[in-house]
């Protein structure tokens, strides 16, 4: 099977393993926002996702909320199983210090929490979903698989959400800055935007009247890939940005801690389209980079960036899997070559580096030793950097053989390690102490 259909088939199979069904594109019911619905690749984005013209002042403040029907749900004696979901919009602050509206979802579990203390809360930072608003994780809870002839969206993150709910853990999922909300572009892998969106999701969930979690509930963070970067950044920034959100534990799986290395790795890979999401996000955050982009990006590259800005993962696999960024530049250089030639870009990416601050609370860093999409080496280096700052780090190398596909080498450790990651996190939410294996890093793969 050719690479692109093979990768898409793998993604669809994963969604079907969750029990997802293809559904027609339709707007969700609920209170309208400040304008009519918009459409992205044939999918109506409910008016709920259009932010109001004025935002509240405090980060984490709820702007609006409404019931969210879960696609994978069963009736129960005390309510739907595995829980009752609420769609959220809350206020956050972006990397430029500007107020921004972020959407997401809170799920109150039906299962009882059997650990120590009150019911805990975990903020799930989704892995790469794409850049089109229809790709938002909160929408994927309602529509785990979209196949409408114009877009392919797979809610693979639903699996981790449901596994946490079955343990009696309340879950809040963030859509990140600009994903779902119709007023701006998603700032993909932006360190500050991702961290703030995760931490403010916790604040929003705790203020929801229907939620059982309170300021006394222990809080954990869970993320893999893009989500691993967001939770890692959140653990670093929590002391300064959200001192009210004390972290019992943070799981950062396959974190893209060094975007310079990740950029080079994904170029020409199954997920080469993520280069476009990164560039679009960088230009959204820092318009001063536009002259550099205009100097290097050719017409084909500009068209690709525009095309990718409305795509989900499945679309990018089909449309750009295996492509090289040398086809996007006027000089025939790769994007990595351009970065090496431009000091401004090097400085910008250095500011996105995760690992320069000591994270709050215990952290678990997991990385597949064969992962060549979000390279194993730079994820391991994050653990080393944190250990050097005296952090409480549990480093887990996931030992799996390489299979010749960057996407599968990256995706397989997520499934192989997810159960262990959730067990480690729920132990922290129960108040069980954990050690650190920083001492073993010299001999760890």
């Amino acid at each position: 099977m050719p690479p692109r259909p093979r990768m898409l088939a793998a993604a669809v199979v994963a969604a079907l393993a969750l029990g997802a069904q293809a559904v027609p594109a339709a707007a969700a019911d609920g209170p309208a926002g400040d304008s009519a619905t918009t459409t992205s690749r044939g999918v109506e984005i409910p008016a709920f996702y259009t932010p109001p013209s004025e935002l509240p002042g405090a980060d984490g403040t709820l702007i609006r909320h409404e019931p969210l029907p879960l696609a994978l749900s069963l009736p129960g004696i005390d309510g739907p199983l595995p829980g009752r979901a609420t769609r959220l919009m809350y206020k956050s602050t972006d990397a430029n210090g500007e107020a921004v509206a972020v959407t997401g979802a809170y799920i109150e579990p039906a299962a009882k929490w059997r650990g120590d203390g009150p019911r805990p809360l975990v903020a799930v930072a989704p892995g790469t979903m794409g850049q089109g608003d229809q790709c938002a994780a909160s929408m994927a809870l309602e529509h785990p698989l979209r196949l409408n002839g114009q877009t392919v969206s797979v809610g693979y993150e639903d699996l981790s959400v449901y596994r946490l709910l079955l343990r009696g853990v309340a879950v809040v999922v963030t859509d990140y800055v600009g994903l779902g909300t119709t007023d701006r572009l998603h700032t993909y892998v932006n360190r500050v935007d991702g961290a703030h969106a995760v931490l403010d999701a916790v604040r929003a969930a705790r203020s929801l009247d229907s939620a059982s979690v309170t300021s006394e509930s222990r809080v954990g963070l869970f993320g893999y890939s893009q989500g691993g970067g967001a939770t890692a950044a959140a653990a670093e920034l929590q002391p300064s940005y959200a001192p009210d959100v004390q972290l019992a534990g943070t799981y950062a799986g396959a974190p893209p801690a060094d975007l310079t290395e990740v950029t080079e790795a994904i170029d020409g890979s199954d997920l080469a389209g993520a280069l476009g999401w990164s560039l679009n996000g960088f230009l959204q955050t820092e318009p001063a980079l536009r002259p550099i982009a205009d100097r290097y990006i050719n017409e084909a590259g500009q068209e690709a960036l525009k095309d990718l800005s409305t795509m989900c993962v499945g679309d990018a696999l089909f449309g750009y899997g295996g492509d090289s960024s040398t086809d996007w530049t006027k000089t025939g250089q790769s994007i990595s070559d351009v970065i090496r030639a431009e000091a401004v870009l090097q400085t910008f990416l250095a500011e996105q580096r995760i690992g320069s601050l000591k994270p709050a609370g215990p952290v678990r860093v997991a990385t597949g030793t064969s992962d060549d999409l979000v390279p194993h080496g730079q994820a391991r280096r994050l653990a080393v950097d944190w250990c050097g700052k005296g952090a409480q780090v549990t480093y887990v190398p996931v030992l799996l053989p390489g299979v010749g596909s960057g996407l599968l080498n990256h995706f397989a450790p997520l499934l192989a390690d997810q159960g262990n990651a959730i067990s480690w996190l729920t132990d922290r939410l129960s108040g069980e102490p954990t050690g650190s294996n920083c001492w073993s890093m010299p001999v760890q793969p």
Side-chain angles (χ1 to χ4, degrees):
M1 184 182 295
R4 293 178 188 178
R6 182 188 68 209
M7 291 303 98
L8 181 61
V12 171
V13 168
L16 294 176
L18 302 179
Q21 297 180 346
V23 295
D29 295 331
D34 282 9
S35 67
T37 59
T38 60
T39 302
S40 180
R41 291 189 177 264
V43 177
E44 284 191 2
I45 308 302
F48 181 95
Y49 288 84
T50 299
S53 56
E54 294 186 10
L55 300 179
D59 291 320
T61 299
L62 273 174
I63 298 170
R64 63 173 69 113
H65 60 88
E66 67 177 14
L68 171 63
L70 295 175
L72 308 180
S73 182
L74 296 172
I77 296 175
D78 299 321
L81 301 173
R84 192 181 302 275
T86 302
R87 201 186 319 263
L88 308 174
M89 179 182 284
Y90 58 93
K91 187 263 181 180
S92 188
T93 297
D94 69 13
N96 293 323
E98 300 294 329
V100 61
V102 180
T103 54
Y106 171 80
I107 308 98
E108 178 75 21
K112 293 182 179 180
W113 167 245
R114 302 189 182 279
D116 180 60
R119 187 191 299 278
L121 173 66
V122 167
V124 171
T128 296
M129 308 301 290
Q131 204 158 43
D133 287 330
Q134 78 279 11
C135 318
S138 63
M139 294 187 203
L141 288 166
E142 186 177 3
H143 302 296
L145 179 61
R146 287 191 192 268
L147 296 169
N148 69 352
Q150 298 183 53
T151 190
V152 179
S153 177
V154 181
Y156 62 87
E157 204 64 73
D158 294 2
L159 178 59
S160 62
V161 171
Y162 277 59
R163 293 180 79 164
L164 287 162
L165 293 173
L166 292 174
R167 293 183 179 231
V169 176
V171 174
V172 64
V173 182
T174 181
D175 290 333
Y176 298 121
V177 173
L179 192 58
T181 49
T182 57
D183 63 331
R184 62 169 64 196
L185 198 63
H186 172 43
T187 48
Y188 182 67
V189 297
N190 181 289
R191 177 178 68 92
V192 175
D193 282 9
H196 288 185
V198 168
L199 294 168
D200 286 328
V202 172
R203 288 166 160 162
R206 294 196 303 203
S207 68
L208 190 65
D209 290 340
S210 60
S212 62
V213 296
T214 69
S215 58
E216 302 301 315
S217 299
R218 292 189 178 99
V219 175
L221 308 180
F222 186 97
Y224 187 90
S225 192
Q226 179 185 358
T231 58
E236 287 191 341
L237 295 180
Q238 178 272 325
S240 60
Y241 182 75
D244 55 307
V245 181
Q246 296 296 310
L247 299 178
T250 295
Y251 163 65
D258 186 335
L259 295 186
T260 300
E261 288 194 21
V262 175
T263 295
E264 189 157 12
I266 63 177
D267 199 347
S269 75
D270 305 317
L271 200 56
L275 272 178
W277 298 329
S278 301
L279 292 173
N280 284 334
F282 296 161
L283 293 172
Q284 168 90 5
T285 297
E286 186 50 79
L289 298 178
R290 174 63 65 181
I292 298 177
D294 290 343
R295 190 160 67 249
Y296 283 98
I297 304 300
N298 61 21
E299 184 176 351
Q302 296 288 356
E303 291 178 357
L305 295 183
K306 182 179 179 181
D307 194 25
L308 283 159
S309 71
T310 60
M311 282 188 166
C312 298
V313 170
D315 310 320
L317 293 176
F318 255 149
Y320 294 94
D323 285 5
S324 171
S325 66
T326 56
D327 295 330
W328 294 358
T329 63
K330 298 173 182 178
T331 61
Q333 294 171 280
S334 69
I335 296 300
S336 291
D337 290 335
V338 173
I339 291 171
R340 283 187 282 269
E342 296 289 340
V344 173
L345 294 179
Q346 295 169 32
T347 298
F348 181 84
L349 291 179
E351 292 171 350
Q352 296 294 326
R353 177 76 178 269
I354 306 171
S356 62
L357 300 171
K358 180 181 177 180
V363 292
R364 183 181 190 271
V365 178
T367 166
T369 56
S370 296
D371 192 342
D372 49 2
L373 192 67
V374 179
H376 163 72
Q378 58 86 44
R380 182 189 185 280
R381 192 178 312 120
L382 173 63
V384 172
D385 289 343
W386 278 347
C387 284
K389 298 181 186 307
Q392 195 173 7
V393 180
T394 298
Y395 168 74
V396 180
V398 183
L399 305 175
L400 294 173
V403 294
S405 160
L407 188 62
L408 293 181
N409 287 340
H410 178 61
F411 188 68
L414 165 66
L415 297 179
D417 183 57
Q418 191 174 82
N420 292 331
I422 289 174
S423 293
W424 179 90
L425 190 56
T426 51
D427 284 346
R428 307 291 77 74
L429 297 172
S430 271
E432 295 184 20
T434 184
S436 170
N437 65 351
C438 284
W439 61 270
S440 69
M441 288 306 300
V443 296
Q444 290 277 19

